């Protein structure tokens, strides 16, 4: 190889920056002893990524690693071109690709993708100083070690009676204080939505079974990203039904393609799992037609006008259907919605989320 390429570590607090030579192309990177570039790092898979020459320059590709490969803060899902100065994360470790003896610190600032994100901040993340999610290591530890607790969010009727329970997660990691929505946000930033929700469902059903929660339906959630592999999700649900036969299950879905949603609804009907569809708005449309056809429950954000929600209720003719007003965080709004007959309600002001504990 005529080019002198290196990966230089960036931002490690526990050691000096290290410059690793990419001695050949293609170059397999990982912590396996047969890799071309051996990285003995906890978050790095045995065969993590590959750098090789492409028709227009260098290409990096993730090799199915557990904790992902990122180029300029974006998780890659296929071969991606890279140039000197690009920031590469392998798991939670950051490197800069450099050529020859150029300074990684200088060249990294020249990368358009890197500079575009400088100073960008979202929940749990910062692009300053390294540009990589600062809570990513803790999140991956949580995910790999399944460090989650399960909480129940009651769904109540106008009289305050619990009609269903949504099972949600919270972090048990000592250095990551995150509730369900924050965990979902972190997972989305790192491309781990499917794995997170699978872990949540498994732990949720185990906790519910130990706690004897068999008096009302238990609502689990599925993320659109994991429904790309519909058979995998359905196999998981069949296994769950066999292991937790006494529990009555419901599955909440949103943001799914109509055709894929139709297939999912049909399969849930066969499995006798109640479908719960999150509607973006109360207006008639294909989603509402599918809900009526399959007797699905629907959730609708509580900020919509009460008259629109009432119209939505009237559009669902079957008693198999149920409307759940979601995310009720205002007591005045709660009182307004209680005046609507047959509405179920979910949210902080409707009923507090509480930990699920095993029966004594």
């Amino acid at each position: 190889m005529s080019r002198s390429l290196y990966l230089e570590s960036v931002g490690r607090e526990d050691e000096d920056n290290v410059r690793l030579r990419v001695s050949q192309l293609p170059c397999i990177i990982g912590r396996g002893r047969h890799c071309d570039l051996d990285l003995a790092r906890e978050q790095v898979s045995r065969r993590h990524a590959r750098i090789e020459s492409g028709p227009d320059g260098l290409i990096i590709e993730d090799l199915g690693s557990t904790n992902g490969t990122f180029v300029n803060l974006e998780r890659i899902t296929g071969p991606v071109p890279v140039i000197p100065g690009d920031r590469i994360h392998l798991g939670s470790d950051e490197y800069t690709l450099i050529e020859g003896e150029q300074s990684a610190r200088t060249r990294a600032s020249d990368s358009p993708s890197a500079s575009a994100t400088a100073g960008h901040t979202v929940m749990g993340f910062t692009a300053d100083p390294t540009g990589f999610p600062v809570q990513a290591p803790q999140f991956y530890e949580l995910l790999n070690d399944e460090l989650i607790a399960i909480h129940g969010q009651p769904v109540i009727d106008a009289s305050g009676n619990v009609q269903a329970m949504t099972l949600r997660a919270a972090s048990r990691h000592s250095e990551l204080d995150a509730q369900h929505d924050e965990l979902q946000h972190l997972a989305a930033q790192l491309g781990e939505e499917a794995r997170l929700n699978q872990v949540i469902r498994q732990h949720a059903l185990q906790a519910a079974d130990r706690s004897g929660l068999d008096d009302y339906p238990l609502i689990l959630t599925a993320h659109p990203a994991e429904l790309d592999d519909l058979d995998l999700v359905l196999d998981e649900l069949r296994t769950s039904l066999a292991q937790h036969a006494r529990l009555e299950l419901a599955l909440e879905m949103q943001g799914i393609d109509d055709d894929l949603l139709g297939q999912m609804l049909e399969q849930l009907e066969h499995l006798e799992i109640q479908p719960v569809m999150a509607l973006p708005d109360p207006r008639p449309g294909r989603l509402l037609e599918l809900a009526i056809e399959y007797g699905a429950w629907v959730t609708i954000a509580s900020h919509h006008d009460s008259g629109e929600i009432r119209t939505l209720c009237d559009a669902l003719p079957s008693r198999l259907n149920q409307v759940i007003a979601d995310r009720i965080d205002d007591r005045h709004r709660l009182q307004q919605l209680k005046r609507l007959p047959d509405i179920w309600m979910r949210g902080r002001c409707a009923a507090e989320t509480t930990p699920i504990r095993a029966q004594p």
Side-chain angles (χ1 to χ4, degrees), residues 26-328:
C27 177
I28 304 295
I29 305 170
R31 58 182 175 86
R33 61 188 180 91
H34 296 300
C35 291
D36 304 309
L37 202 166
D38 184 3
L39 294 181
R41 304 291 294 180
E42 183 179 352
Q43 300 275 337
V44 174
S45 296
R46 295 186 185 279
R47 284 172 54 87
H48 196 106
R50 175 174 56 236
I51 297 177
E52 60 186 332
S53 295
D56 299 315
L58 295 173
I59 291 174
I60 188 169
E61 182 176 9
D62 185 78
L63 299 178
S65 67
T66 299
N67 294 322
T69 301
F70 301 74
V71 175
N72 296 325
L73 314 186
E74 296 291 335
R75 185 164 189 160
I76 63 175
T77 57
V80 171
V82 288
I83 61 173
D86 280 343
R87 302 149 78 181
I88 297 172
H89 284 85
L90 304 168
S92 59
D93 292 323
E94 180 181 359
Y95 299 88
T96 301
L97 179 66
I98 62 175
E99 185 171 8
E101 299 304 317
Q102 291 171 316
S103 166
R105 296 293 185 184
T106 301
R107 291 300 304 273
S109 64
D110 295 335
S111 168
S113 299
S115 62
T117 57
H120 177 63
T121 302
V122 293
M123 185 186 302
F125 289 73
T126 178
D128 183 18
T130 67
F132 191 70
V134 295
Q135 289 182 307
Q138 293 86 350
F139 177 82
Y140 279 122
E141 289 172 3
L142 173 147
L143 199 56
N144 294 336
D145 297 336
E146 301 185 2
L147 300 174
I148 63 171
I150 299 301
H151 292 230
Q153 184 177 38
V155 179
I156 65 169
D157 60 20
S159 300
N161 301 312
V162 177
Q163 297 292 338
M165 181 80 72
T166 304
L167 300 180
R168 298 165 63 84
S171 169
R172 288 197 298 110
H173 193 291
S174 60
E175 299 177 3
L176 178 58
D177 182 14
Q179 299 301 309
H180 187 90
D181 290 344
E182 296 164 311
L183 291 175
Q184 296 289 348
H185 178 79
L186 289 166
Q189 292 293 320
L190 295 166
E192 293 288 1
E193 304 97 324
R195 192 151 68 108
L196 174 66
N197 281 280
Q198 183 180 42
V199 169
I200 290 175
R201 287 193 297 270
Q202 291 172 350
H203 281 260
L205 292 178
Q206 291 170 7
D209 213 345
R210 291 195 303 266
S211 303
L213 293 180
D214 54 3
D215 294 333
Y216 33 71
L218 304 175
I219 302 175
L220 307 168
T221 57
H223 193 277
E226 59 185 322
L227 295 184
D228 289 339
D229 193 341
L230 195 58
D231 290 338
L232 184 64
V233 177
L234 292 170
D235 286 344
E236 177 206 324
L237 292 173
R238 291 188 189 96
T239 301
S240 298
L241 287 170
Q243 294 175 341
H244 308 285
R246 66 173 177 161
L247 301 181
E248 184 179 353
L249 304 184
L251 187 69
E252 186 168 354
M253 301 162 287
Q254 63 178 338
I256 304 170
D257 176 80
D258 288 1
D259 292 336
L260 188 60
L261 178 60
Q263 297 177 48
M264 190 67 179
L265 291 170
E266 184 175 345
Q267 293 299 321
L268 292 178
E269 187 175 52
H270 291 316
L271 293 173
E272 297 183 349
I273 294 176
Q274 177 66 47
V276 183
M277 295 167 50
L279 298 185
D281 59 63
R283 292 173 295 183
R286 177 60 177 158
L287 289 179
L288 189 57
E289 293 173 1
L290 286 170
I292 294 172
E293 181 179 353
Y294 288 96
W297 297 348
V298 300
T299 66
I300 187 73
S302 61
H303 63 74
H304 287 288
D305 181 81
S306 298
E308 291 182 310
I309 297 178
R310 176 70 271 171
T311 300
L312 174 62
C313 296
D314 293 340
L316 297 171
S318 172
R319 287 301 301 158
L320 294 175
N321 297 113
Q322 179 63 51
V323 176
I324 301 173
D326 195 21
R327 297 185 179 275
I328 303 176

